Amino acid sequence: MTTGAQADIKDVTQLARNMVGLWGMSDAIGPLAVVPDEGQTPLLATGEVSPETTKAVDDEVRRMGLQELDEVRDLLTEHRDELDLLADALLQHETLNTDEAYEAVGLEQPPKQPVLSDEPSLLGG
């Protein structure tokens, strides 16, 4: 078991590292696979990636993580009133279902999305 923050930080770091070093989603690194897939030997250890490239990946991952942290802080600040209402409702009821949570903060629930099925369609899909 881990704390929520620890797990979130680990997940964000891994996602950003994949975006930067595997999927080519960073202008700083470009469309290069410069980090190993999970469970593989680090490319720096194999000589396939230079220490400079490794540092550039680390810098870009850090930049992306800090940028996302700023965006989350802004969202939490912007919606502080709703967060306080939700916290009060949770203190009173301990658990809330989706309808109760939306009601507690005075928001209308968005329309439900259709559930995707693994069943083949009549069209042969």
Side-chain angles (χ1 to χ4, degrees):
M1 295 265 278
T2 63
T3 66
Q6 179 183 357
D8 290 346
I9 290 169
K10 182 179 176 183
D11 291 346
V12 164
T13 302
Q14 188 59 51
L15 179 60
R17 187 166 296 285
N18 288 343
M19 290 171 67
V20 171
L22 285 178
W23 305 328
M25 297 174 73
S26 164
D27 291 338
I29 303 300
L32 302 172
V34 294
V35 298
D37 283 325
E38 196 171 320
Q40 292 183 330
T41 304
L43 299 179
L44 180 60
T46 64
E48 295 181 49
V49 174
S50 70
E52 293 81 10
T53 299
T54 301
K55 182 178 179 341
V57 169
D58 289 344
D59 290 347
E60 184 67 356
V61 167
R62 182 175 294 105
R63 184 198 64 77
M64 291 173 77
L66 291 173
Q67 178 181 330
E68 294 305 314
L69 178 61
D70 287 343
E71 288 181 30
V72 168
R73 282 186 180 142
D74 290 346
L75 279 170
L76 292 173
T77 300
E78 180 182 337
H79 295 282
R80 179 60 193 245
D81 293 341
E82 290 94 340
L83 289 170
D84 288 341
L85 290 169
L86 186 59
D88 289 342
L90 286 168
L91 287 171
Q92 291 176 12
H93 303 286
E94 192 171 327
T95 61
L96 301 171
N97 65 31
T98 303
D99 293 333
E100 294 165 337
Y102 274 95
E103 184 179 329
V105 297
L107 294 175
E108 187 174 318
Q109 196 172 154
K112 294 194 184 336
Q113 298 295 319
V115 176
L116 299 177
S117 172
D118 291 337
E119 298 290 323
S121 73
L122 295 175
L123 301 175

